[in-house]
Amino acid sequence: MRHILSLLAICLIVATSDPASAQDPGMQTRESIMERQRGLGLSGDYTLPSGQPPAPETVQPGSVPQLGTRGYASDSDIWRALRDGSANATPSSSTAASQLMQVIGDDWRMIRHDYLIKYAGWVLLGVILLIALFYLIRGRIMIRGGRAGNTIPRFSMSHRIAHWFLASTFILMALSGLIILLGRPVLVKGLGEWLMVGQLGMDASVVTTLKSVNGVLNNAALQGHNLFGPVFILSLLIVIIRFMKGNFFQKADFGWILKGGGLIGGHASSNHYNFGEKTWYWVVVLVGLMISVTGLFLLFPWLSDNLRFHQAATILHAVGALGMICFAMGHAYVGSVGMEGSLDSMLRGEVDVNWAKEHHDLWYEEVTGEKVTHDHDEIPETAKGTA
Amino acid sequence: MTFLDFVEGPMFYAAAAIFVTAGLWRIIGILRIGKKPDLAPARGSATAGWWKGNLRHFFPRGLFAERTWMHILGGYGFHLGLFVLLFFAAPHIAFIERFTGLSWPALPRWGFIIAAEIAFAGLIVLWVRRFSDPVMRQISDWDDHIGTWLTFLVMLTGCLALQESVVALRATHMLFVNIWLIYFPFSRLMHAFTVFLSRGATGASYGRKGMNP
C-alpha cells in the first residue's frame, strides 16, 4: 500500500507540476523508465521533484517483489503470483481469502459458454427430434386387445395431486431456467443476428430490440425461478415420499430390460412400475435433489464462502436440469400421446383392465389375484398404431 | 400516455369501478331475495346458527379430515397466502396509499416471499384437485378454470415483476389485475364475499330448527 501511495503521489505531483520542470535532469522520462526495465541504470539516478531520493524498495524474503516506484524487469511474475494466489494479496471479500484473482473463473466461463450454452439447445432439440422420429416409426402404442371398458384403480388422489404439483412447478422452473440459460443465444444471437439480420437482411436495430426483450424476459424469469424454486423442492419431496413404495428395482426388471420394454423380444412383465418408470423415479430423486441443493446454494450464496463451490453449483445445476428436462419430455410423451390409456392413470386414477394386463401384468395379478394370459401379444392389425 | 400510465390510470379506474359497482349489485341482489316467512315455531336461534354456520365450516368434520387434508392445506395456504400478499406486500401498500392515502406496516421481503410461495403451492394443489378428482371435475366448468388461471396469472406476473425495475413487467401485472377485477364480480370469484352469506344463510336456517349446521 505504501508503494502504491508513493506512486500515486508521484503521478499527482508530475501531473500538477510546471511542464518546464519536466526538463529537470532528476525527473524520470520514458527513456529512463525503459532503461530501468531493461535492467540498465538501476543504480538510481533520479530524485523526486522535492529533491529527495525515492524510498528504498524492500522485498520480503520468499515473497514476490511488488511493483515499486522504479518498476521491475517484468510484471508478469507479479501477475502470475496474483493468479495462483501466492502474492498474498486479498480483496475485502471473504470468498477468496488471500487470493486476488480467481483463475478458475476462466475455466468456469469457458465450460459455461463454450460447452453448456453452446450445446444445451441442440441437446434439447435432438431429444425432441428423437421423440418425433420414434413416433413416426412406432406410432402410438395401442392397447393390443383394445379397451376392455372396465377399469381398476392405479393412483390415489394424493398420488395424482403430488404428481401434478411437481409437474406444474417443474414446467415453470424449466421454462424460466431455459430463458435464463439460453435466452440471449437463442433470441439475440440466433433469432436476431443470424436469422433476422444475417439471413433476412433486416435492419440491425432489430437486434437492439431483441436485447431489450431478452433483458425483460431474463429479469422476469430470474424472479420467477427464484420464487418457484422452494415450491419445486417442496413438491419434489412430496413426490419422493409418496412414490417411493414400489419403485425399488425388482427381479422382473431384468427381464424387462432384456426385452427392451416389449419393443424387442415380446411381452415384458412388470410390477406396479416398470424399469423405465423406476429409472425415471430415481432420476427425479437423485437429479432433483442435486439441482435443489445446488439451486439453494445459488439462491442463498452465504451458505458457502467457497467460490469454486458456487461455480461448480451453477454448472451442475444447469447440466442436471437439462438432463431432467430431456427425461421429462420422454416421460410426458409416453404418458400421453405415445401410449393409449396411460394418461388415464394420472388424470382419473384408474386404468383400463387390458392396459394393466399388458403393461403391468404382475401388478394386476397381485391386485386382482387373477392370472394374466397374454393372448394379445401378437399385435392385431386393427390395434396397430398409425404414425 | 405510456401503456403503464394507461393500465395504472384510466383502465384501472374503469376496472375498479366495475368491480365495486357490479360486486355491490350482486351482493345487494342476493340480500334482496330474502326468504319466505318460516311459520314453524323456532326451536333455536337463527343468529347463533348464522355464526355457527360460518365458523364451523372453517374446520373439516372428523369423518372427512383424513380424506381431504391435502386440499384443506392447499385451500388455507392459498387463501391466507393471497390475503397476506394482497394487503401486506410493500408494493401493494404503496399502491393503495397512492389512491387512498391509507397506509399500514408492510411485511419484510422474506415474509412476502414465503407468503407468495405458500399461496402458489396452495393454488396449484387446488387446481390439480379440480381436474384430478372425479367429482370436482364433474362440477367444474369454464368459469372455475378461468377464475383459477386469472388469479394464477395475476400472482405470477406480480412475482415476475418483483424486482420493480422493469416497466413492462409492472404494466403486464397491472393489466392482469385489471382483467381480474373486471371478471371478478361476474364469476365464482365472488365467493370471496358471498361465502359468508351462503354459510350464514344455511347456518341460520339450521339454527332456527335447532340443528347443527
Side-chain angles (χ1 to χ4, degrees), chain A residues 165-225:
Chain A
F165 186 24
L166 179 62
S168 313
T169 53
F170 180 75
I171 290 169
L172 288 167
M173 292 298 285
L175 288 176
S176 53
L178 286 175
I179 289 172
I180 294 166
L181 188 69
L182 300 175
R184 188 176 174 85
V186 170
L187 208 59
V188 179
K189 302 276 179 194
L191 184 67
E193 290 175 6
W194 181 78
L195 183 68
M196 289 179 154
V197 177
Q199 305 297 314
L200 303 176
M202 292 171 76
D203 190 79
S205 62
V206 74
V207 176
T208 313
T209 309
L210 284 172
K211 277 182 184 170
S212 302
V213 171
N214 178 56
V216 172
L217 285 176
N218 259 281
N219 191 302
L222 188 65
Q223 296 302 319
H225 204 74

Side-chain angles (χ1 to χ4, degrees), chain B residues 25-45:
Chain B
W25 176 71
R26 275 196 70 178
I27 291 172
I28 292 169
I30 291 167
L31 292 174
R32 281 181 49 133
I33 291 172
K35 68 182 192 68
K36 286 180 183 174
D38 191 345
L39 301 176
R43 293 189 175 182
S45 165

Side-chain angles (χ1 to χ4, degrees), chain B residues 37-191:
Chain B
D38 191 345
L39 301 176
R43 293 189 175 182
S45 165
T47 309
W50 193 93
W51 282 106
K52 254 187 177 177
N54 264 303
L55 296 175
R56 276 198 67 157
H57 284 88
F58 279 109
F59 307 98
R61 291 183 186 262
L63 281 172
F64 299 107
E66 198 179 331
R67 281 191 63 200
T68 57
W69 67 270
M70 209 170 208
H71 75 255
I72 285 172
L73 271 182
Y76 270 108
F78 164 66
H79 286 97
L80 292 177
L82 184 63
F83 180 81
V84 171
L85 272 186
L86 197 56
F87 292 108
F88 293 98
H92 292 166
I93 295 173
F95 188 76
I96 293 167
E97 190 180 9
R98 202 170 113 195
F99 290 94
T100 63
L102 298 170
S103 180
W104 52 88
L107 267 181
R109 191 178 165 85
W110 60 264
F112 167 75
I113 297 286
I114 289 174
E117 310 266 7
I118 294 171
F120 269 116
L123 182 59
I124 294 171
V125 165
L126 290 182
W127 182 66
V128 165
R129 175 174 171 261
R130 189 171 286 289
F131 70 78
S132 293
D133 186 296
V135 177
M136 282 298 291
R137 197 169 51 241
Q138 290 296 323
I139 62 172
S140 299
D141 59 17
W142 279 107
D143 181 25
D144 297 298
H145 292 288
I146 291 172
T148 307
W149 273 95
L150 261 182
T151 309
F152 177 77
L153 286 172
V154 169
M155 288 166 57
L156 180 70
T157 51
C159 289
L160 298 186
L162 207 57
Q163 208 173 23
E164 297 184 67
S165 61
V166 181
V167 170
L169 296 176
R170 184 185 172 100
T172 309
H173 177 53
M174 277 310 296
L175 176 69
F176 278 105
V177 168
N178 291 337
I179 295 170
W180 187 79
L181 284 174
I182 294 167
Y183 186 73
F184 193 103
F186 307 104
S187 68
R188 292 199 186 98
L189 291 175
M190 271 298 284
H191 78 277

Side-chain angles (χ1 to χ4, degrees), chain A residues 52-76:
Chain A
Q52 298 295 318
E57 291 157 5
T58 55
V59 177
Q60 298 295 327
S63 70
V64 177
Q66 304 293 298
L67 187 66
T69 51
R70 296 181 172 200
Y72 276 91
S74 168
D75 288 344
S76 58

